[in-house]
Amino acid sequence: MCDFLSLATVGVRKLQPYQAGKPIEELERELGISNIIKLASNENPLGPSPKILQALKEFCTPQNVALYPDGSGFSLKKSIANQYNIPQEMITLGNGSNDLLELIARAFVTSNLAVMFSQYAFAVYPIVTQAIGAEMQIVPAKNWGHDLEEMLKHITEKTRVIFIANPNNPTGTWLSKNNLESFLNQVSKNIIVVLDEAYIEYIENPEFPNSLEWLETYPNIIITRTFSKAYGLASLRVGYSISNPQIADLLNRVRQPFNVNSFALKAAEIALSDKDHLKQAVALNKQGMQQFENAFQNMKLDYISSVGNFITVDVKRNGGKIYQLLLKEGVIVRPVGNYGMPTFLRISIGLPEENTRCIQALEKVLK
Ligand SMILES: *Cc1c(COP(=O)(O)O)cnc(C)c1O
């Protein structure tokens, strides 16, 4: 037999596949239990706007299923452009914002260049970097978050892209307007800085940057956002980037011609228009976050203060084992040992009753 491993590119040979949150059906199959809750992948526990579900039912016609989607995503791009008052030429749509992270790496990075990101940063950054065989410049974190000063020091001539998740997943830490602005001032305009804002809709703090205001001053930034989290459309796969039109044009050249399907395009457009549903999701998240913080304080567990829709807690034991014990209770959370945080669990904020069940299960297994 052929040794296919030796045929793979060097980067791919070393690659660890992305570990996704366990699907409910899988746990049902494995343990034969029902009534499982999943608080593992930062999805919206409310689901999408009911207006979307209604519209998709009507949209589900033989023609709409059989025909290719609008490859340009014209209508959705127009809605996003209107929402933020930016030209449509700045927008690139992706099959989730994940798609965009990959397109950015493919459009700008080759194996002789480097991609920088922080320790504990989102797990997709090493994947898209290694897939190309480029060097990873992983900068030690400070208090679980990005250490921008340190990142500046690590920049070399090879650095082509810097990924910054704001807020970061899995730590929920965030960077203020002032800190990030001072960083951007010191980074060469020849380096692409990606501001991954997958959780932006949840944030109410006035110190949090409105990165859209920076697009003119820093034409080297790419802002990525998604409909998977606060908008509740994770399964449909749709995200977007906002950047200088020249960058958008480059990303557009490497993407699949039909990277976003018709249902996702339709749903995302309605999602943007239903402000009430978004508000409800944000309020529910705030309440749930409080629920977990209170519980962790009562349980004397340290947690990382988070502005996302998830919270990462130190269970002070092997997180993988606690995760397994929680599975038996029908509660799926996310161990983060693969992020170098072996005693932590990341828990997505759910509905109040789901949070209660998760907290009770955690109390039980930690006894
Ligand atoms: C969830 C997440 C994404 C992307 O999700 P998509 O479903 O691909 O849009 C991107 N970045 C971070 C930091 C995330 O947590």
PDB file of all heavy atoms in Angstrom, residues 43-50 53 230 232 276-282 284 349-351 354:
ATOM      1  N   GLU A  43     -23.569  28.142  20.202  1.00  0.00           N
ATOM      2  CA  GLU A  43     -24.733  28.434  19.376  1.00  0.00           C
ATOM      3  C   GLU A  43     -25.745  29.235  20.189  1.00  0.00           C
ATOM      4  O   GLU A  43     -25.646  29.322  21.413  1.00  0.00           O
ATOM      5  CB  GLU A  43     -25.377  27.114  18.913  1.00  0.00           C
ATOM      6  CG  GLU A  43     -24.486  26.304  17.962  1.00  0.00           C
ATOM      7  CD  GLU A  43     -24.203  24.896  18.468  1.00  0.00           C
ATOM      8  OE1 GLU A  43     -24.160  24.715  19.716  1.00  0.00           O
ATOM      9  OE2 GLU A  43     -24.008  23.999  17.631  1.00  0.00           O
ATOM     10  N   ASN A  44     -26.721  29.796  19.493  1.00  0.00           N
ATOM     11  CA  ASN A  44     -27.738  30.602  20.157  1.00  0.00           C
ATOM     12  C   ASN A  44     -28.858  29.690  20.676  1.00  0.00           C
ATOM     13  O   ASN A  44     -29.544  29.043  19.882  1.00  0.00           O
ATOM     14  CB  ASN A  44     -28.302  31.627  19.163  1.00  0.00           C
ATOM     15  CG  ASN A  44     -29.292  32.572  19.802  1.00  0.00           C
ATOM     16  OD1 ASN A  44     -29.861  32.270  20.857  1.00  0.00           O
ATOM     17  ND2 ASN A  44     -29.509  33.706  19.167  1.00  0.00           N
ATOM     18  N   PRO A  45     -29.064  29.627  22.009  1.00  0.00           N
ATOM     19  CA  PRO A  45     -30.063  28.701  22.554  1.00  0.00           C
ATOM     20  C   PRO A  45     -31.497  29.075  22.166  1.00  0.00           C
ATOM     21  O   PRO A  45     -32.397  28.227  22.217  1.00  0.00           O
ATOM     22  CB  PRO A  45     -29.862  28.817  24.075  1.00  0.00           C
ATOM     23  CG  PRO A  45     -29.232  30.152  24.289  1.00  0.00           C
ATOM     24  CD  PRO A  45     -28.402  30.413  23.065  1.00  0.00           C
ATOM     25  N   LEU A  46     -31.713  30.316  21.766  1.00  0.00           N
ATOM     26  CA  LEU A  46     -33.043  30.748  21.327  1.00  0.00           C
ATOM     27  C   LEU A  46     -33.337  30.291  19.901  1.00  0.00           C
ATOM     28  O   LEU A  46     -34.476  30.295  19.468  1.00  0.00           O
ATOM     29  CB  LEU A  46     -33.111  32.278  21.296  1.00  0.00           C
ATOM     30  CG  LEU A  46     -33.545  33.062  22.509  1.00  0.00           C
ATOM     31  CD1 LEU A  46     -33.671  34.533  22.124  1.00  0.00           C
ATOM     32  CD2 LEU A  46     -34.873  32.543  23.035  1.00  0.00           C
ATOM     33  N   GLY A  47     -32.287  29.929  19.193  1.00  0.00           N
ATOM     34  CA  GLY A  47     -32.466  29.640  17.770  1.00  0.00           C
ATOM     35  C   GLY A  47     -32.591  30.934  16.992  1.00  0.00           C
ATOM     36  O   GLY A  47     -32.460  32.025  17.556  1.00  0.00           O
ATOM     37  N   PRO A  48     -32.862  30.839  15.687  1.00  0.00           N
ATOM     38  CA  PRO A  48     -32.956  32.047  14.875  1.00  0.00           C
ATOM     39  C   PRO A  48     -34.283  32.766  15.075  1.00  0.00           C
ATOM     40  O   PRO A  48     -35.193  32.235  15.719  1.00  0.00           O
ATOM     41  CB  PRO A  48     -32.853  31.504  13.454  1.00  0.00           C
ATOM     42  CG  PRO A  48     -33.401  30.124  13.533  1.00  0.00           C
ATOM     43  CD  PRO A  48     -33.063  29.613  14.902  1.00  0.00           C
ATOM     44  N   SER A  49     -34.396  33.918  14.518  1.00  0.00           N
ATOM     45  CA  SER A  49     -35.659  34.655  14.510  1.00  0.00           C
ATOM     46  C   SER A  49     -36.762  33.779  13.915  1.00  0.00           C
ATOM     47  O   SER A  49     -36.558  33.141  12.876  1.00  0.00           O
ATOM     48  CB  SER A  49     -35.478  35.912  13.649  1.00  0.00           C
ATOM     49  OG  SER A  49     -36.704  36.323  13.119  1.00  0.00           O
ATOM     50  N   PRO A  50     -37.936  33.728  14.549  1.00  0.00           N
ATOM     51  CA  PRO A  50     -39.056  32.940  13.983  1.00  0.00           C
ATOM     52  C   PRO A  50     -39.419  33.391  12.571  1.00  0.00           C
ATOM     53  O   PRO A  50     -39.902  32.601  11.768  1.00  0.00           O
ATOM     54  CB  PRO A  50     -40.212  33.219  14.951  1.00  0.00           C
ATOM     55  CG  PRO A  50     -39.600  33.796  16.176  1.00  0.00           C
ATOM     56  CD  PRO A  50     -38.277  34.393  15.798  1.00  0.00           C
ATOM     57  N   LEU A  53     -37.587  31.200  10.119  1.00  0.00           N
ATOM     58  CA  LEU A  53     -38.128  29.848   9.932  1.00  0.00           C
ATOM     59  C   LEU A  53     -39.328  29.874   8.992  1.00  0.00           C
ATOM     60  O   LEU A  53     -39.470  29.029   8.103  1.00  0.00           O
ATOM     61  CB  LEU A  53     -38.503  29.242  11.289  1.00  0.00           C
ATOM     62  CG  LEU A  53     -37.312  29.068  12.248  1.00  0.00           C
ATOM     63  CD1 LEU A  53     -37.770  28.507  13.583  1.00  0.00           C
ATOM     64  CD2 LEU A  53     -36.238  28.189  11.639  1.00  0.00           C
ATOM     65  N   ALA A 230     -24.764  34.998  17.572  1.00  0.00           N
ATOM     66  CA  ALA A 230     -25.923  35.731  18.089  1.00  0.00           C
ATOM     67  C   ALA A 230     -27.162  35.607  17.181  1.00  0.00           C
ATOM     68  O   ALA A 230     -28.291  35.678  17.651  1.00  0.00           O
ATOM     69  CB  ALA A 230     -25.575  37.202  18.283  1.00  0.00           C
ATOM     70  N   GLY A 232     -28.023  32.933  15.493  1.00  0.00           N
ATOM     71  CA  GLY A 232     -28.598  31.589  15.579  1.00  0.00           C
ATOM     72  C   GLY A 232     -28.668  30.814  14.271  1.00  0.00           C
ATOM     73  O   GLY A 232     -29.577  30.014  14.076  1.00  0.00           O
ATOM     74  N   ASP A 276     -35.280  42.952  17.169  1.00  0.00           N
ATOM     75  CA  ASP A 276     -35.863  42.533  18.448  1.00  0.00           C
ATOM     76  C   ASP A 276     -35.356  41.164  18.867  1.00  0.00           C
ATOM     77  O   ASP A 276     -35.055  40.933  20.029  1.00  0.00           O
ATOM     78  CB  ASP A 276     -37.402  42.480  18.361  1.00  0.00           C
ATOM     79  CG  ASP A 276     -37.996  43.872  18.360  1.00  0.00           C
ATOM     80  OD1 ASP A 276     -37.277  44.806  18.782  1.00  0.00           O
ATOM     81  OD2 ASP A 276     -39.150  44.027  17.915  1.00  0.00           O
ATOM     82  N   HIS A 277     -35.265  40.275  17.907  1.00  0.00           N
ATOM     83  CA  HIS A 277     -34.809  38.926  18.229  1.00  0.00           C
ATOM     84  C   HIS A 277     -33.362  38.965  18.727  1.00  0.00           C
ATOM     85  O   HIS A 277     -33.001  38.286  19.693  1.00  0.00           O
ATOM     86  CB  HIS A 277     -34.927  38.013  17.012  1.00  0.00           C
ATOM     87  CG  HIS A 277     -34.639  36.583  17.331  1.00  0.00           C
ATOM     88  ND1 HIS A 277     -35.525  35.786  18.002  1.00  0.00           N
ATOM     89  CD2 HIS A 277     -33.550  35.808  17.111  1.00  0.00           C
ATOM     90  CE1 HIS A 277     -35.004  34.588  18.182  1.00  0.00           C
ATOM     91  NE2 HIS A 277     -33.800  34.582  17.648  1.00  0.00           N
ATOM     92  N   LEU A 278     -32.556  39.783  18.077  1.00  0.00           N
ATOM     93  CA  LEU A 278     -31.155  39.921  18.480  1.00  0.00           C
ATOM     94  C   LEU A 278     -31.076  40.459  19.909  1.00  0.00           C
ATOM     95  O   LEU A 278     -30.316  39.947  20.741  1.00  0.00           O
ATOM     96  CB  LEU A 278     -30.420  40.847  17.505  1.00  0.00           C
ATOM     97  CG  LEU A 278     -28.921  40.988  17.732  1.00  0.00           C
ATOM     98  CD1 LEU A 278     -28.203  39.664  17.510  1.00  0.00           C
ATOM     99  CD2 LEU A 278     -28.328  42.052  16.812  1.00  0.00           C
ATOM    100  N   LYS A 279     -31.892  41.467  20.186  1.00  0.00           N
ATOM    101  CA  LYS A 279     -31.909  42.061  21.535  1.00  0.00           C
ATOM    102  C   LYS A 279     -32.258  41.017  22.584  1.00  0.00           C
ATOM    103  O   LYS A 279     -31.665  40.964  23.661  1.00  0.00           O
ATOM    104  CB  LYS A 279     -32.954  43.180  21.594  1.00  0.00           C
ATOM    105  CG  LYS A 279     -32.358  44.558  21.470  1.00  0.00           C
ATOM    106  CD  LYS A 279     -33.411  45.623  21.798  1.00  0.00           C
ATOM    107  CE  LYS A 279     -33.118  46.871  20.983  1.00  0.00           C
ATOM    108  NZ  LYS A 279     -34.324  47.603  20.615  1.00  0.00           N
ATOM    109  N   GLN A 280     -33.238  40.197  22.241  1.00  0.00           N
ATOM    110  CA  GLN A 280     -33.689  39.145  23.147  1.00  0.00           C
ATOM    111  C   GLN A 280     -32.546  38.154  23.414  1.00  0.00           C
ATOM    112  O   GLN A 280     -32.324  37.729  24.552  1.00  0.00           O
ATOM    113  CB  GLN A 280     -34.832  38.407  22.455  1.00  0.00           C
ATOM    114  CG  GLN A 280     -35.955  37.955  23.340  1.00  0.00           C
ATOM    115  CD  GLN A 280     -37.006  37.245  22.489  1.00  0.00           C
ATOM    116  OE1 GLN A 280     -37.355  37.704  21.394  1.00  0.00           O
ATOM    117  NE2 GLN A 280     -37.485  36.117  22.969  1.00  0.00           N
ATOM    118  N   ALA A 281     -31.825  37.808  22.349  1.00  0.00           N
ATOM    119  CA  ALA A 281     -30.714  36.858  22.481  1.00  0.00           C
ATOM    120  C   ALA A 281     -29.621  37.435  23.388  1.00  0.00           C
ATOM    121  O   ALA A 281     -29.058  36.737  24.233  1.00  0.00           O
ATOM    122  CB  ALA A 281     -30.148  36.517  21.105  1.00  0.00           C
ATOM    123  N   VAL A 282     -29.362  38.716  23.215  1.00  0.00           N
ATOM    124  CA  VAL A 282     -28.308  39.365  23.999  1.00  0.00           C
ATOM    125  C   VAL A 282     -28.721  39.440  25.473  1.00  0.00           C
ATOM    126  O   VAL A 282     -27.925  39.158  26.372  1.00  0.00           O
ATOM    127  CB  VAL A 282     -27.991  40.766  23.422  1.00  0.00           C
ATOM    128  CG1 VAL A 282     -27.044  41.551  24.321  1.00  0.00           C
ATOM    129  CG2 VAL A 282     -27.400  40.630  22.021  1.00  0.00           C
ATOM    130  N   LEU A 284     -30.854  37.496  27.039  1.00  0.00           N
ATOM    131  CA  LEU A 284     -30.851  36.140  27.593  1.00  0.00           C
ATOM    132  C   LEU A 284     -29.428  35.699  27.950  1.00  0.00           C
ATOM    133  O   LEU A 284     -29.182  35.050  28.973  1.00  0.00           O
ATOM    134  CB  LEU A 284     -31.448  35.166  26.571  1.00  0.00           C
ATOM    135  CG  LEU A 284     -31.651  33.740  27.065  1.00  0.00           C
ATOM    136  CD1 LEU A 284     -32.925  33.650  27.885  1.00  0.00           C
ATOM    137  CD2 LEU A 284     -31.699  32.764  25.897  1.00  0.00           C
ATOM    138  N   ILE A 349     -23.463  29.595  26.999  1.00  0.00           N
ATOM    139  CA  ILE A 349     -24.624  30.032  27.766  1.00  0.00           C
ATOM    140  C   ILE A 349     -25.887  29.507  27.085  1.00  0.00           C
ATOM    141  O   ILE A 349     -26.084  29.731  25.888  1.00  0.00           O
ATOM    142  CB  ILE A 349     -24.686  31.584  27.849  1.00  0.00           C
ATOM    143  CG1 ILE A 349     -23.345  32.182  28.301  1.00  0.00           C
ATOM    144  CG2 ILE A 349     -25.861  32.040  28.716  1.00  0.00           C
ATOM    145  CD1 ILE A 349     -22.879  31.780  29.671  1.00  0.00           C
ATOM    146  N   GLY A 350     -26.721  28.822  27.842  1.00  0.00           N
ATOM    147  CA  GLY A 350     -27.942  28.257  27.271  1.00  0.00           C
ATOM    148  C   GLY A 350     -29.183  28.974  27.767  1.00  0.00           C
ATOM    149  O   GLY A 350     -29.122  30.102  28.267  1.00  0.00           O
ATOM    150  N   LEU A 351     -30.315  28.307  27.660  1.00  0.00           N
ATOM    151  CA  LEU A 351     -31.560  28.812  28.248  1.00  0.00           C
ATOM    152  C   LEU A 351     -31.432  28.683  29.761  1.00  0.00           C
ATOM    153  O   LEU A 351     -30.673  27.836  30.244  1.00  0.00           O
ATOM    154  CB  LEU A 351     -32.751  27.988  27.751  1.00  0.00           C
ATOM    155  CG  LEU A 351     -32.998  28.010  26.245  1.00  0.00           C
ATOM    156  CD1 LEU A 351     -34.029  26.953  25.849  1.00  0.00           C
ATOM    157  CD2 LEU A 351     -33.461  29.404  25.809  1.00  0.00           C
ATOM    158  N   GLU A 354     -31.492  25.198  31.014  1.00  0.00           N
ATOM    159  CA  GLU A 354     -30.312  24.429  30.574  1.00  0.00           C
ATOM    160  C   GLU A 354     -29.112  24.779  31.448  1.00  0.00           C
ATOM    161  O   GLU A 354     -28.330  23.901  31.843  1.00  0.00           O
ATOM    162  CB  GLU A 354     -29.982  24.732  29.109  1.00  0.00           C
ATOM    163  CG  GLU A 354     -31.021  24.233  28.131  1.00  0.00           C
ATOM    164  CD  GLU A 354     -30.726  24.643  26.692  1.00  0.00           C
ATOM    165  OE1 GLU A 354     -30.185  25.760  26.454  1.00  0.00           O
ATOM    166  OE2 GLU A 354     -31.040  23.859  25.791  1.00  0.00           O
TER     167      GLU A 354
END
